Amino acid sequence: MTPRRPVITKFGFAGLFPVFITFLMAALMLLPIGTGAANIAMPHLVLISVFYWLSSRPLLMPYGACAILGFFLDLWLDVPLGLNMVLLLLARLFVLNQLKHFKGRSRVVHWAIFTVLTFGLYALSWIIVSVVYGGFWPVKPVVLQWGVTAFSYAPVAFLLGRMRRMVL
């Protein structure tokens, strides 16, 4: 009887590609863009990447990678510790539980599901931040961030799909 190897080692270096790309997305998300005067909202590229990889190759984005990515995002973004970790783990849990219902459907369905999921996750993050800081935080920046993230899903997923076809 041969010993069981972890799933990530069965795919070799290509199995680390989704995690590597998601870490690059995190670095890209944290780059200072513009002068700050424009107050540009950056889409949550890590959430987009995690959702995309979980929808297409769920075994290549494990719980540990989501937790580590979320923890580092919490440190870098100066939000309550554990917030992005919880959001990414909830996104993973949701996608894995509901994947059987939307696997193989059109990308428009994936986009709609991502939009609804991110709305719920941003509402949860607003509640958590309001509770942690002891007062209601403004809703407008959260809604703007959600809108930018939701509308950015299609082009980012298109690019991730092209990279997936080249590597995996």
PDB file of all heavy atoms in Angstrom, residues 63-75:
ATOM      1  N   TYR A  63      -7.563  25.522   3.181  1.00  0.00           N
ATOM      2  CA  TYR A  63      -7.949  26.376   4.303  1.00  0.00           C
ATOM      3  C   TYR A  63      -6.752  27.144   4.857  1.00  0.00           C
ATOM      4  O   TYR A  63      -6.856  28.323   5.190  1.00  0.00           O
ATOM      5  CB  TYR A  63      -8.568  25.546   5.435  1.00  0.00           C
ATOM      6  CG  TYR A  63      -9.994  25.140   5.189  1.00  0.00           C
ATOM      7  CD1 TYR A  63     -10.315  23.836   4.833  1.00  0.00           C
ATOM      8  CD2 TYR A  63     -11.022  26.050   5.320  1.00  0.00           C
ATOM      9  CE1 TYR A  63     -11.616  23.455   4.606  1.00  0.00           C
ATOM     10  CE2 TYR A  63     -12.336  25.687   5.096  1.00  0.00           C
ATOM     11  CZ  TYR A  63     -12.632  24.384   4.745  1.00  0.00           C
ATOM     12  OH  TYR A  63     -13.917  24.013   4.515  1.00  0.00           O
ATOM     13  N   GLY A  64      -5.618  26.470   4.979  1.00  0.00           N
ATOM     14  CA  GLY A  64      -4.431  27.109   5.534  1.00  0.00           C
ATOM     15  C   GLY A  64      -3.981  28.306   4.719  1.00  0.00           C
ATOM     16  O   GLY A  64      -3.592  29.340   5.271  1.00  0.00           O
ATOM     17  N   ALA A  65      -4.024  28.183   3.400  1.00  0.00           N
ATOM     18  CA  ALA A  65      -3.624  29.301   2.544  1.00  0.00           C
ATOM     19  C   ALA A  65      -4.578  30.479   2.717  1.00  0.00           C
ATOM     20  O   ALA A  65      -4.141  31.633   2.793  1.00  0.00           O
ATOM     21  CB  ALA A  65      -3.585  28.855   1.084  1.00  0.00           C
ATOM     22  N   CYS A  66      -5.884  30.201   2.801  1.00  0.00           N
ATOM     23  CA  CYS A  66      -6.856  31.270   3.019  1.00  0.00           C
ATOM     24  C   CYS A  66      -6.618  31.951   4.364  1.00  0.00           C
ATOM     25  O   CYS A  66      -6.686  33.178   4.471  1.00  0.00           O
ATOM     26  CB  CYS A  66      -8.281  30.716   2.956  1.00  0.00           C
ATOM     27  SG  CYS A  66      -8.786  30.164   1.326  1.00  0.00           S
ATOM     28  N   ALA A  67      -6.335  31.155   5.390  1.00  0.00           N
ATOM     29  CA  ALA A  67      -6.114  31.724   6.722  1.00  0.00           C
ATOM     30  C   ALA A  67      -4.849  32.573   6.749  1.00  0.00           C
ATOM     31  O   ALA A  67      -4.851  33.684   7.303  1.00  0.00           O
ATOM     32  CB  ALA A  67      -6.034  30.601   7.756  1.00  0.00           C
ATOM     33  N   ILE A  68      -3.765  32.098   6.154  1.00  0.00           N
ATOM     34  CA  ILE A  68      -2.514  32.859   6.154  1.00  0.00           C
ATOM     35  C   ILE A  68      -2.666  34.146   5.340  1.00  0.00           C
ATOM     36  O   ILE A  68      -2.223  35.217   5.758  1.00  0.00           O
ATOM     37  CB  ILE A  68      -1.357  31.985   5.625  1.00  0.00           C
ATOM     38  CG1 ILE A  68      -1.033  30.890   6.645  1.00  0.00           C
ATOM     39  CG2 ILE A  68      -0.126  32.812   5.321  1.00  0.00           C
ATOM     40  CD1 ILE A  68      -0.094  29.830   6.143  1.00  0.00           C
ATOM     41  N   LEU A  69      -3.297  34.048   4.179  1.00  0.00           N
ATOM     42  CA  LEU A  69      -3.532  35.247   3.370  1.00  0.00           C
ATOM     43  C   LEU A  69      -4.358  36.273   4.142  1.00  0.00           C
ATOM     44  O   LEU A  69      -4.051  37.465   4.148  1.00  0.00           O
ATOM     45  CB  LEU A  69      -4.260  34.872   2.079  1.00  0.00           C
ATOM     46  CG  LEU A  69      -3.424  34.302   0.961  1.00  0.00           C
ATOM     47  CD1 LEU A  69      -4.301  33.588  -0.036  1.00  0.00           C
ATOM     48  CD2 LEU A  69      -2.642  35.403   0.294  1.00  0.00           C
ATOM     49  N   GLY A  70      -5.409  35.808   4.791  1.00  0.00           N
ATOM     50  CA  GLY A  70      -6.261  36.706   5.566  1.00  0.00           C
ATOM     51  C   GLY A  70      -5.523  37.339   6.724  1.00  0.00           C
ATOM     52  O   GLY A  70      -5.683  38.535   7.008  1.00  0.00           O
ATOM     53  N   PHE A  71      -4.699  36.563   7.396  1.00  0.00           N
ATOM     54  CA  PHE A  71      -3.935  37.091   8.533  1.00  0.00           C
ATOM     55  C   PHE A  71      -2.960  38.174   8.079  1.00  0.00           C
ATOM     56  O   PHE A  71      -2.866  39.241   8.699  1.00  0.00           O
ATOM     57  CB  PHE A  71      -3.182  35.956   9.233  1.00  0.00           C
ATOM     58  CG  PHE A  71      -2.376  36.404  10.410  1.00  0.00           C
ATOM     59  CD1 PHE A  71      -2.997  36.778  11.587  1.00  0.00           C
ATOM     60  CD2 PHE A  71      -1.001  36.473  10.328  1.00  0.00           C
ATOM     61  CE1 PHE A  71      -2.264  37.206  12.677  1.00  0.00           C
ATOM     62  CE2 PHE A  71      -0.247  36.897  11.405  1.00  0.00           C
ATOM     63  CZ  PHE A  71      -0.884  37.268  12.586  1.00  0.00           C
ATOM     64  N   PHE A  72      -2.239  37.925   6.976  1.00  0.00           N
ATOM     65  CA  PHE A  72      -1.313  38.935   6.483  1.00  0.00           C
ATOM     66  C   PHE A  72      -2.042  40.182   5.988  1.00  0.00           C
ATOM     67  O   PHE A  72      -1.571  41.303   6.178  1.00  0.00           O
ATOM     68  CB  PHE A  72      -0.412  38.366   5.391  1.00  0.00           C
ATOM     69  CG  PHE A  72       0.700  37.526   5.923  1.00  0.00           C
ATOM     70  CD1 PHE A  72       0.869  36.228   5.497  1.00  0.00           C
ATOM     71  CD2 PHE A  72       1.569  38.030   6.878  1.00  0.00           C
ATOM     72  CE1 PHE A  72       1.895  35.442   6.004  1.00  0.00           C
ATOM     73  CE2 PHE A  72       2.604  37.262   7.393  1.00  0.00           C
ATOM     74  CZ  PHE A  72       2.759  35.960   6.952  1.00  0.00           C
ATOM     75  N   LEU A  73      -3.201  40.000   5.368  1.00  0.00           N
ATOM     76  CA  LEU A  73      -3.984  41.167   4.955  1.00  0.00           C
ATOM     77  C   LEU A  73      -4.417  41.988   6.166  1.00  0.00           C
ATOM     78  O   LEU A  73      -4.420  43.224   6.112  1.00  0.00           O
ATOM     79  CB  LEU A  73      -5.209  40.735   4.154  1.00  0.00           C
ATOM     80  CG  LEU A  73      -5.000  40.458   2.683  1.00  0.00           C
ATOM     81  CD1 LEU A  73      -6.288  39.981   2.046  1.00  0.00           C
ATOM     82  CD2 LEU A  73      -4.473  41.670   1.965  1.00  0.00           C
ATOM     83  N   ASP A  74      -4.801  41.316   7.246  1.00  0.00           N
ATOM     84  CA  ASP A  74      -5.182  42.039   8.461  1.00  0.00           C
ATOM     85  C   ASP A  74      -4.023  42.861   8.993  1.00  0.00           C
ATOM     86  O   ASP A  74      -4.204  44.003   9.417  1.00  0.00           O
ATOM     87  CB  ASP A  74      -5.656  41.063   9.542  1.00  0.00           C
ATOM     88  CG  ASP A  74      -6.970  40.403   9.191  1.00  0.00           C
ATOM     89  OD1 ASP A  74      -7.717  40.977   8.388  1.00  0.00           O
ATOM     90  OD2 ASP A  74      -7.234  39.309   9.712  1.00  0.00           O
ATOM     91  N   LEU A  75      -2.838  42.297   8.975  1.00  0.00           N
ATOM     92  CA  LEU A  75      -1.667  43.032   9.448  1.00  0.00           C
ATOM     93  C   LEU A  75      -1.343  44.211   8.534  1.00  0.00           C
ATOM     94  O   LEU A  75      -1.032  45.311   8.996  1.00  0.00           O
ATOM     95  CB  LEU A  75      -0.453  42.103   9.540  1.00  0.00           C
ATOM     96  CG  LEU A  75      -0.500  41.026  10.621  1.00  0.00           C
ATOM     97  CD1 LEU A  75       0.724  40.137  10.521  1.00  0.00           C
ATOM     98  CD2 LEU A  75      -0.602  41.638  12.002  1.00  0.00           C
TER      99      LEU A  75
END
